[in-house]
Amino acid sequence: MLTTAGLAAAGLALPGLALADAARAQEAAGPFRFTAGDGQETDAERGFFEVPEDRRILGSRRIRLGYVRFASTSPNPGPPIVYLAGGPGGSGVRTAMGRRFPIFMALREVADVIAFDQRGTGLSAHIPDRPAPKTWPVMTHEGMTAWYRDEMQKVWVDWTRAGVAMTGYNTEQSADDIDDLRRHLGAETINLWGISYGTHLALSVLKRHPERIGRVALASLEGQGQTIKRPARIDAYLDRVDGLMGQDPALRAAVPNLPALMRRVHDRLEAQPATVAMAGEAGPVDLSIGGFGVQLMASGMVANPPTLSMLPGIYLALDAGKTDVLAPLFPPPHRYFGITGMPEAMDLASGVSPGKLAIIAQEAKTAVLGDVFNFPMPHLLGSIPGVDLGEAFRQPIRIETPALLVAGSLDGRTPLEEQAEVIAQFQNKTQVLVENAGHNVFEAHPQVQTLLVRFFGEEAVSDTRLSLPAPTFSVA
C-alpha cells in the first residue's frame, strides 16, 4: 500500500492501521481551541451523546459517540451540516484537521458544521486495541486470506468476551446514530456532507430517516451494494489511465501497455514472492511480498493522481527485479497487519449479494488487480456468520432529497462506472465532475468549496464541469 503519510493523504481505511484512538475517546465535552494540522486554530465545541452499542440487544451496553462542532458565522444559520468520513474507519474530527479544514471553515457561512466520529472511530472508539502481531503472513492471495480469516475469528471472540457488542458495528446502526445525533443537536433536520464510505452511510440514513435530511452533498459515491467493487470496472479505469499514458510518445515507448506490465509483475511475484527489508519496531525486518501484495499496494495508489502517476515507474522497476522499490511504499509490518474491528465489521455486515459475488469471482480471474480491491473483502465473507444485513439493505431506493454529487474522472477507488449506478437513484440532483481529480475530490479544485457553500446555502447550483491538469506519469 502507500506510506503511512500517503495513506492519510489518500483518505483510505486499509488493513492494520490503528483508526481508533482510546485516549481521544476520553476527552472532555465543551468549548476548546481546535488546531488543524497546518497550525491554523479556531474556536470549537466538543460534544458527546450515548447510544446502545447494538439496538437489537436488550440491555446492550451504551457507548459514547463524539463530535466537534464549528459554530456558524451566519446570523440565520440553516440546518447543521454533518460530515460523514470515508473508510469505513475514517474519523470526521481528524478529517477536519487535514486538507478539508478550509471547507469546514467556509461552510460555517451557512450553518453549524459537525465533524462526527462514527461509532468505532476517534472520539467514538470503544473497541479495545489489539497488540501488534509479531509475525506476518506471506503476502500472496492464499497467505493473506488465511491469516486475516483466522485473525478475524480470534479477535471477534476476544472482543465479544470483553463485552463488546461487535454485531452493533454495521451501517444501519450507524445510520440510526446520525438520527440520534440530530435529536441531540435539537435540530428538526440536518444536512449530510460525505465521501466514499460516508456516502454508503448517507444512503442508509436516507433510506431509514428520509424526512430528517434536508440536503446532501456527496462525493466518490459508494452504493449500498458496492462494498466490493467489480474487477472489470477497475480494469476499465486502468484502460483509461493507459490511454492517458499513450498520449506521451516517450512514456508509451517505455510502457507499451500498463495493464500488461502490471499483470506480468503480479504473476511472477505471486509464483515467487520477493523478500523485502522493511522498517520494524526494533530495526529492519523481512517481509515476503507476492503479486497479491503488489496488487494491494496498487489498489491504494490508484485513488488519486499524485500516487497513480508513480505506478509506471514502480512496475518498471519490479519488472526489472528491483523489488527494493517496495520498501518505502508499505507502512512498517507491525502497523500494517492486524484488525481494528470497526472497518471489518462494517464491511462484513454490508456484504454482497450471491449474484454479484459470482460476477466478481468470475471477473477476478482475469482482472489486473484480481479480487484484491476491497481486501479483506470478499476474503472475510463467512468468517463471522449471521452479521450480513441482507438483500433489503443493499437494494437501491428512489431519493427525492436535493443532492450535490461530486466526482473525479481519475478516481480509481470508486470508478465512474460504479458511481453511475448510485447517481441513478437521485431524482433531484446536481452533478459536478472534476476532470483529472481523484478520490479526494472535495479539496482537489477550489471551485468545489464554493459550490458546496452555495448548495448548502440553498442557492441554485447547475451541473458543472471543472478541470485540472492531467497527471505527469513517472517512469524513473
Side-chain angles (χ1 to χ4, degrees), residues 100 103 195 218-220 304 406-409 411 432-435 437-446 448-449 468:
R100 286 179 204 143
I103 306 178
I195 190 167
L218 306 175
S220 307
N304 294 294
V406 187
S409 68
D411 179 356
V432 178
L433 178 67
V434 185
E435 294 284 354
H439 194 65
N440 289 348
V441 65
F442 278 135
E443 63 268 35
H445 194 290
V448 173
Q449 174 178 303
L468 294 168

Side-chain angles (χ1 to χ4, degrees), residues 20-380:
D21 186 336
R24 290 176 55 78
Q26 301 305 313
E27 293 188 37
F32 74 109
R33 195 73 177 159
F34 183 91
T35 304
D38 63 1
Q40 294 186 71
E41 294 187 357
T42 189
D43 289 331
E45 176 191 357
R46 191 183 294 113
F48 297 93
F49 62 103
E50 288 191 350
V51 299
E53 195 165 35
D54 189 335
R55 293 174 174 84
R56 301 165 300 182
I57 299 175
L58 184 65
S60 174
R61 75 167 180 166
R62 298 185 68 79
I63 56 175
R64 189 174 80 152
L65 305 185
Y67 62 89
V68 169
R69 183 209 306 251
F70 302 103
S72 178
T73 57
S74 170
N76 297 297
I81 300 167
V82 177
Y83 179 79
L84 304 180
S91 159
V93 174
R94 286 179 180 163
T95 299
M97 294 177 179
R99 294 180 61 195
R100 286 179 204 143
F101 176 75
I103 306 178
F104 279 84
M105 296 299 96
L107 288 172
R108 295 180 304 167
E109 295 176 23
V110 295
D112 288 359
V113 187
I114 310 296
F116 178 56
D117 276 348
Q118 299 160 34
R119 55 171 57 208
T121 71
L123 295 173
S124 307
H126 299 286
I127 301 174
D129 291 339
R130 296 276 299 179
K134 301 300 182 184
T135 59
W136 310 286
V138 176
M139 295 187 72
T140 60
H141 190 285
E142 180 181 359
M144 292 283 280
T145 299
W147 193 87
Y148 269 90
R149 288 182 68 85
D150 182 61
E151 281 293 301
M152 189 70 202
Q153 291 166 344
K154 289 177 181 176
V155 299
W156 193 279
V157 169
D158 289 347
W159 281 323
T160 301
R161 287 174 176 168
V164 180
M166 290 300 299
T167 53
Y169 290 86
N170 65 56
T171 299
E172 287 190 338
Q173 300 262 351
S174 198
D176 290 348
D177 292 343
I178 302 302
D179 196 53
D180 286 341
L181 170 63
R182 177 194 61 78
R183 284 194 290 269
H184 166 79
L185 295 172
E188 286 294 318
T189 62
I190 55 174
N191 293 329
L192 302 180
W193 168 35
I195 190 167
S196 195
Y197 170 77
T199 72
H200 184 90
L201 173 55
L203 289 167
S204 192
V205 178
L206 289 168
K207 184 180 285 190
R208 296 173 73 80
H209 307 285
E211 72 286 354
R212 299 303 185 183
I213 306 303
R215 303 188 144 227
V216 296
L218 306 175
S220 307
L221 293 163
E222 179 182 285
Q224 299 273 268
Q226 293 179 341
T227 293
I228 305 172
K229 309 299 183 293
R230 282 184 52 185
R233 300 272 171 79
I234 310 304
D235 276 357
Y237 166 80
L238 291 172
D239 286 341
R240 289 200 299 274
V241 172
D242 189 61
L244 278 177
M245 292 173 55
Q247 297 174 18
D248 181 337
L251 186 59
R252 182 82 301 165
V255 185
N257 185 300
L258 179 63
L261 171 63
M262 295 173 73
R263 283 189 173 96
R264 185 164 66 244
V265 168
H266 300 155
D267 289 346
R268 188 173 71 244
L269 286 174
E270 188 71 0
Q272 188 173 354
T275 299
V276 181
M278 314 289 289
E281 287 182 284
V285 296
D286 287 340
L287 185 63
S288 186
I289 303 178
F292 188 82
V294 178
Q295 290 175 315
L296 203 51
M297 171 205 72
S299 72
M301 295 187 75
V302 298
N304 294 294
T307 48
L308 170 68
S309 64
M310 298 165 58
L311 281 185
I314 292 169
Y315 274 89
L316 284 173
L318 292 173
D319 199 39
K322 300 175 183 177
T323 55
D324 58 335
V325 72
L326 295 171
L329 300 173
F330 285 79
H334 68 279
R335 296 187 59 196
Y336 180 85
F337 291 101
I339 288 173
T340 57
M342 182 273 197
E344 298 85 2
M346 289 286 181
D347 279 351
L348 274 170
S350 291
V352 61
S353 69
K356 184 172 182 180
L357 183 61
I359 293 171
I360 289 166
Q362 184 62 34
E363 292 178 351
K365 294 176 182 177
T366 57
V368 176
L369 296 181
D371 66 356
V372 74
F373 208 73
N374 292 100
F375 186 82
M377 287 284 284
H379 313 80
L380 286 179

